[in-house]
Structure formats: C-alpha cells, structure tokens
Amino acid sequence: MTQSQYHFLSPNVTISINLGFPNLSIDVWTPDGPNATKGVSEQFFGPGVSEAFATSLVAFNEHVSAEDDALTDWVQHGLLGGLPDTGRFLTNSKQLVIHFQKTIAAAVGLSCQAAEKAGPGR
C-alpha cells in the first residue's frame, strides 16, 4: 500500500486500509442504551504480513480509537445538557464529519442545502 484509505459505509460502519503490508480494519458501532455506543473492530492481514507489523498496526488503531472514544464521550456528555443553539466545524480538518452529517441529513429527507441554511454545526 502506498496510500491509506478510509471508507464510510453507513452511519455505523467504516473500513480502513493503512499503509504498509496488506491490511483491512472494519469497525462497527451499535447503540448500547440511550447515551452509549458499543464498538467492535476487526483487523485482517494479508499473507506474509509480519507479526511485528500486525501488532504495531493493531496498537496504532487502538490508540486512535481511544482518542476518538474520549472525544465522542466528551461530546455526548455535553449534548446531555441539550442541543447547542449553534456550532461550527473546522472545515479544513473535519471533512469526514461534515460528509457524515450531510449523509445523515439526506437519509432523513433533508437536502444538503436545507441543512446548510440551518447554520453551521446543525
């Protein structure tokens, strides 16, 4: 692999392919109560992948997941106080979050233009 790839399949499934030897990570999240989510990650490696590479990549993915979990837990905790009136995305660094939000808006029948007119972060 010469370039990492990260694919969003649906609101709760992603596929990641990282640099280096053949590898694939599938992540699935499911609700675990009204204010919690449970995630499952599976790592797959192609033939001939060294144990050191596999161990290193699994550790990297676990580290990134822990960072993501801390961020989403923080946001979830904040949202328990009610929805914010406004918000703003860092559009240069959060394209995937923006894409996710637009995809969900489209899935529930809102056009992207309507979502954008509602204001940033809505």
Side-chain angles (χ1 to χ4, degrees), residues 6-122:
Y6 305 100
H7 303 276
F8 167 78
L9 295 181
S10 69
N12 67 326
V13 179
T14 61
I15 293 178
S16 303
I17 303 167
N18 290 290
L19 290 173
F21 296 102
N23 66 86
L24 175 71
S25 173
I26 299 175
D27 302 294
V28 178
W29 297 275
T30 56
D32 190 27
N35 298 311
T37 303
K38 182 187 294 186
V40 177
S41 295
E42 292 290 338
Q43 308 280 325
F44 302 93
F45 298 96
V49 171
S50 71
E51 185 70 29
F53 176 81
T55 300
S56 174
L57 187 57
V58 168
F60 171 76
N61 286 340
E62 287 175 351
H63 177 79
V64 170
S65 292
E67 289 177 348
D68 289 349
D69 288 348
L71 288 171
T72 55
D73 287 350
W74 180 75
V75 169
Q76 182 67 40
H77 179 72
L79 290 175
L80 290 174
L83 292 176
D85 292 334
T86 61
R88 192 175 101 197
F89 282 126
L90 303 172
T91 56
N92 290 333
S93 62
K94 297 298 180 188
Q95 291 92 4
L96 293 176
V97 174
I98 294 167
H99 172 75
F100 173 79
Q101 196 169 54
K102 287 181 178 180
T103 301
I104 296 302
V108 297
L110 298 174
S111 73
C112 290
Q113 288 179 339
E116 287 173 1
K117 285 181 183 177
R122 290 191 176 250

